[in-house]
Amino acid sequence: MAKILIIEDEVSIQKLLTYDLQQAGFEVNSALDGLTGLEMAKQNDYDLILLDLMLPKLDGIEVCRRLRKRNDDVYIIILTARDDEYDKIIGLDTGADDYMTKPFSPREVIARIKAGLRRKMKVSNMIKYKNLSVDLNRHELYINNEPVSLTNKEYDLLLFLLKNKGIVLSRDILLEKLWGFEYDGDTRIVDVHIFKLREKLTKSNITIVTKRGLGYMLEEETNDKN
Ligand code: CA
């Protein structure tokens, strides 16, 4: 089920929202100030955030701005205390996806959340694995939500390894799939690309292992590395 974060400092509203969303079957976390909310959003993979604008420590606009700066594509619905055009415009300008004006009914919130989640599923096309995410629409890699620049070949190689994780891939298979021709010469071209890709994945918690005489395999990092 979808995971939702509520960042709202008015305890009564926060509790009510939590209750309503849990009743609707969502997994719910909550924070009472902007800074805590931002940290929680960084450390968890939420599908949607309900974000109040007037918050202690860090206001909602700033929370939104910082999340978008990290290329976090979480769906954000801002909650405004009054029908303030200015707040809405700033919020949407900063990258929020939708807004709601208080007071709102539980049914209204849940309908908006469901619509948001549906829209998000259509738009985003991400592969996520451990602390790594690949945006298939933009051909971009993120490690801990930080962009990492890859060449086209490195990108294709990573994607192929990700789709076949846990499977040993021979140099011949990699050549055929990624270079697209019967290669009768030096397979070191594969080794070179694996080497470069590994360098770019040093901050990730995944490892491309060499299976001597067999090829390469993408696997999860373990403590007992050989
Ligand atoms: Ca508030």
Side-chain angles (χ1 to χ4, degrees):
M1 223 329 155
K3 239 175 121 175
I4 297 176
L5 174 65
I6 301 168
I7 311 177
E8 166 66 78
D9 62 317
E10 280 163 69
V11 179
S12 58
I13 296 179
Q14 187 254 99
K15 280 189 173 163
L16 205 65
L17 278 173
T18 302
Y19 177 79
D20 290 334
L21 299 190
Q22 281 173 344
Q23 289 297 106
F26 296 111
E27 193 183 332
V28 185
N29 289 160
S30 56
L32 290 168
D33 67 79
L35 214 52
T36 308
L38 181 65
E39 282 311 308
M40 288 173 77
K42 283 181 185 173
Q43 281 159 27
N44 299 278
D45 197 16
Y46 293 108
D47 298 293
L48 188 142
I49 297 178
L50 291 179
L51 179 63
D52 184 30
L53 287 184
M54 300 286 280
L55 289 167
K57 292 189 186 169
L58 199 65
D59 68 56
I61 297 291
E62 196 52 33
V63 172
C64 189
R65 185 174 287 138
R66 292 194 195 178
L67 283 172
R68 292 307 187 224
K69 218 176 146 194
R70 295 166 49 88
N71 292 298
D72 196 323
D73 70 335
V74 62
Y75 197 92
I76 298 175
I77 301 178
I78 51 177
L79 309 174
T80 59
R82 57 198 180 282
D83 200 359
D84 189 332
E85 278 304 315
Y86 182 73
D87 279 356
K88 281 180 212 161
I89 289 164
I90 298 279
L92 295 174
D93 246 19
T94 315
D97 298 284
D98 199 2
Y99 66 87
M100 294 194 74
T101 307
K102 296 175 193 173
F104 34 70
S105 71
R107 196 189 293 174
E108 197 184 350
V109 182
I110 287 158
R112 282 296 184 92
I113 287 173
K114 286 183 175 168
L117 292 173
R118 272 199 301 274
R119 210 174 305 157
K120 189 194 159 194
M121 277 206 297
K122 267 189 219 158
V123 175
S124 91
N125 196 7
M126 304 281 284
I127 290 183
K128 293 192 178 188
Y129 185 59
K130 309 296 275 180
N131 66 344
L132 190 142
S133 49
V134 180
D135 186 330
L136 298 174
N137 293 337
R138 296 165 167 231
H139 282 228
E140 282 170 355
L141 165 70
Y142 300 93
I143 297 173
N144 291 324
N145 293 319
E146 301 283 346
V148 176
S149 135
L150 296 180
T151 66
N152 288 337
K153 257 323 171 236
E154 288 161 358
Y155 174 85
D156 291 344
L157 178 58
L158 174 63
L159 209 59
F160 192 67
L161 287 164
L162 273 170
K163 285 179 178 170
N164 294 285
K165 53 182 178 280
I167 299 169
V168 180
L169 301 165
S170 70
R171 290 173 176 80
D172 289 335
I173 283 178
L174 290 169
L175 271 178
E176 198 187 309
K177 292 286 178 191
L178 301 168
W179 278 263
F181 54 89
E182 291 291 321
Y183 197 84
D184 56 356
D186 202 337
T187 57
R188 263 185 302 180
I189 190 168
V190 174
D191 301 332
V192 169
H193 280 79
I194 291 279
F195 177 80
K196 287 185 178 166
L197 185 57
R198 274 179 179 151
E199 282 194 325
K200 294 185 177 179
L201 294 177
T202 46
K203 283 186 180 169
S204 78
N205 48 18
I206 62 165
T207 308
I208 302 166
V209 292
T210 306
K211 295 286 183 183
R212 196 168 288 274
L214 296 172
Y216 296 102
M217 186 179 82
L218 188 145
E219 69 170 22
E220 293 176 49
E221 185 129 312
T222 52
N223 293 327
D224 46 295
K225 264 192 289 178
N226 317 298

